[in-house]
Amino acid sequence: MPGCTIKTAPRFTLNLSLTNPTFRLPDLYSTAKLFGFGLKIFHPWNNHEVDKEEDDEVSERETWEFVHSGRSAFVIIGFTDEDGREVRDLERCLRYCRQLGERCIMIKSIHQLFHHAPTLPKLHEHLEQTKRNDVHLWKPDNEEKGSFAFDVQRIGKRRSQSATRTIVESFAYMAMTTPIRMKDPEVLYTYFEEYEDAQAQERAQLLSGQLEQTRLDIPFASEKDKKVVQIDYEEGKFVGGGNLGFLRQIYFGRLVCEGSARLLIKKFEVKERAFYGNTSMESEMSLLMAGQTLSSAGKSVYDPFAGTGSLLYTCAHWGSMVIGSDIDGRQMRGKDASGPGVFRAATKYGLRNRILDCLTFDVTRNGWRRGGLFDAIITDPPYGVRAGAKRLGRNEKNGRMQKDEPVLMPDGTYSHLQPGYIPVSRPYEMTDLVYDLVLFGRWMLVPGGRLVFFLPTVTEDWDDLDVPVVQGMKEIKFCSGSSQDFGRWSRRLITMEKTDSETYPRPDFLPVEMEKVPGHHNFPQRFMEGFDPRPRPGQANESA
Amino acid sequence: MVRLITHNMLTCHVKNCTKDNFPLVFENVELEVRPAEANLDFIKRFIPKLEWDALVQTARSIGEDSLPEQMPEDKATLESEEFLQKLHHVLMEIHVEEGQMKCRGCGHIYPISTGIPNMLLAEHEVGR
Ligand SMILES: [Zn+2]
């Protein structure tokens, strides 16, 4: 099998995590970009012949929507080179697969696809027809020493030994000459049956706008769906145990690799960490964000609202040199007397050397000497009610004006030079913060550098226009974008890229007026008030 | 921490302080030298962002004089492993754990404690 180039470009099945499906495409495409290959993506339930040119741009967009909806755990991919041509060299494809498996948080496993079909007889029909041509696919690399095993998985289905045996036996025509070895086989043939329940179908229709309402509390859409699905293999039907849903698709192939990046979710689990705070973000999200920065050895990444450092560790894990700053130094230090928590946690991960430094400062009053310092900026700005973002300066809305001169104490010393002096700070309005962040990114990033941040927003008020549009910065977005939904509010992952090599000015961090009041405006207050709808234009505005 | 690479990126940012605000001067420092695995690619990519004179001057002020007064002009020397290793040592392995950084322009003192510098400004030092 190594080194052979087959007539049609190899295709691969990705088995993806079902949680947070709107993060799949950014995860896959960022990894492809990092390693310098292109992805072609195919609908897993589309049963055209794989070598047929069925994928014009429209259908790729539809496939994106489908993957984004999370309706299926599977997607089928191929690879393209820098000229957009499909990569046919199998070894090269397998290398790309391993790179995806090592980096993509959403990938559970990757399989070289032999064929997929809606039923088992259809699958066999195709495999038997193509057996002569594709015989090299079936064989272990070393036939003498080789061994194989079958892995039958039925997604959305109860385990049944007899059904598994029936399935394995139905592949007898493959006439394997090598021994079966269940433990560490050289080749693992993988057979997935994917079922879909009516509920999932409804949910997907709801997401894609085909349905306006759903009855998600009712497990099945109709009495008919509840019936046991009786299918007989010889008749092309499935028998037994089928009370969970309909057979959607069968994928048959061989395992290329497991998704090893998923193991990092456990490694960076907040509770496993030497040091964490109340607002440390869950590790899966911080890994997904780090992926968006295209972090790798030799790059520099900065978090201007570093907090307890969650995002620094995951970027450093991929090789970046990281810097964090926060207006609240206590967050980085923690309470332990044995030294700053952010350094202790980094040491535990073996990443201490990749933390360049952590600094206490307000990013709106930053001491950066010049722009263009970083390859990426990553941040999860604070938005909780008590832990909302702060900036230096006095809140003059409370009636007291900001002082322009230092305050001389009765003993002849200045107040700001006293030990324990804490400078005054005021709330940093979310609209201003997000706008400043984009301008800051434009100033501070190298050309092609990325700004990656979480944006909390009131779901009902969200609009694509909420992400500031400025020259030189472009949002990288798939479908409706990536978000974690919590009902009335959600957290959206925003990825932007600096598109040109212009030198932009240092932002002035002055308040902004946006044409539309964004969904993140006054977020901490609205969070506290339970997200009551805003008065619509024309209605009386009490606060005016 | 406070490595010289970070120091080289920082300037005084007190309101209206625009003269002699870089580099900040180290005072009363406690140093630690911690050997670190070298990432020469990172160092190489960072060279264009360095202020060389400030780096040499600051390194000498804390007793580190391995760097030449002038940045090597020819690319071969600049990107040689020997030179990058030297730079790696100065930029990445020397840590200022305690002490302060003082602005020569306005006199503001940025204290460093357990490796974390406090770059916050007093009320009268920030603009509106
Ligand atoms: Zn100054």
Side-chain angles (χ1 to χ4, degrees), chain B residues 21-124:
Chain B
N21 58 355
F22 176 82
L24 301 170
V25 179
F26 279 127
E27 292 181 342
N28 312 326
V29 293
E30 267 175 45
L31 299 180
E32 237 181 75
V33 176
R34 273 186 241 128
E37 192 195 342
N39 184 338
L40 298 186
D41 260 350
F42 173 75
I43 301 292
K44 196 156 79 183
R45 289 189 64 210
F46 208 85
I47 291 176
K49 300 171 188 169
L50 284 175
E51 274 288 341
W52 189 260
D53 292 350
L55 176 64
V56 174
Q57 189 185 323
T58 306
R60 290 187 181 180
S61 79
I62 55 170
E64 171 59 54
D65 53 9
S66 61
L67 294 179
E69 194 99 23
Q70 301 290 323
M71 186 156 82
E73 275 178 21
D74 67 305
K75 214 174 154 179
T77 316
L78 194 63
E79 297 189 350
S80 70
E81 176 159 356
E82 192 199 341
F83 183 74
L84 292 176
Q85 283 288 1
K86 226 185 246 179
L87 208 45
H88 162 74
H89 171 69
V90 176
L91 289 175
M92 309 292 284
E93 296 187 324
I94 302 171
H95 301 259
V96 177
E97 292 295 326
E98 303 287 334
Q100 58 192 39
M101 297 183 285
K102 187 176 177 181
C103 172
R104 287 173 298 129
C106 71
H108 185 103
I109 286 171
Y110 298 97
I112 300 167
S113 140
T114 55
I116 297 182
N118 184 343
M119 306 287 291
L120 294 176
L121 301 179
E123 185 175 349
H124 67 281

Side-chain angles (χ1 to χ4, degrees), chain A residues 322-342:
Chain A
V322 298
I323 293 192
S325 73
D326 203 292
I327 191 171
D328 184 1
R330 291 168 304 182
Q331 288 227 57
M332 294 183 287
R333 291 179 185 276
K335 286 185 184 133
D336 202 313
S338 62
V342 63

Side-chain angles (χ1 to χ4, degrees), chain A residues 34 99 166 283:
Chain A
L34 176 70
Q99 288 171 331
T166 316
S283 65

Side-chain angles (χ1 to χ4, degrees), chain A residues 458-479:
Chain A
V458 180
T459 310
E460 198 186 359
D461 294 340
W462 164 256
D463 192 303
D464 288 348
L465 298 170
D466 289 1
V467 178
V469 178
V470 302
Q471 192 196 332
M473 292 292 284
K474 186 174 143 240
E475 190 183 357
I476 314 267
K477 189 168 93 170
F478 293 89
C479 308

Side-chain angles (χ1 to χ4, degrees), chain A residues 298 333 352-353 355-361 365-367 369 372-373 375 394 396 402-403 416 421 423, chain B residues 1-3 6 8-11 13 36 39 42 45 49 51 113-114 117 119 121 123-124 126-128:
Chain A
R333 291 179 185 276
R352 172 80 184 253
N353 184 43
I355 311 277
L356 277 183
D357 262 302
C358 287
L359 315 117
T360 304
F361 72 64
R365 305 287 168 210
N366 71 75
R369 171 172 59 80
L373 287 172
D375 294 288
R394 190 169 289 278
E396 296 187 337
Q402 185 164 311
K403 297 188 184 74
H416 70 278
Y421 168 80
Chain B
M1 305 243 178
V2 187
R3 307 188 205 220
T6 312
N8 200 265
M9 293 189 246
L10 295 171
T11 170
H13 51 290
N39 184 338
F42 173 75
R45 289 189 64 210
K49 300 171 188 169
E51 274 288 341
S113 140
T114 55
M119 306 287 291
L121 301 179
E123 185 175 349
H124 67 281
V126 302
R128 282 205 173 75

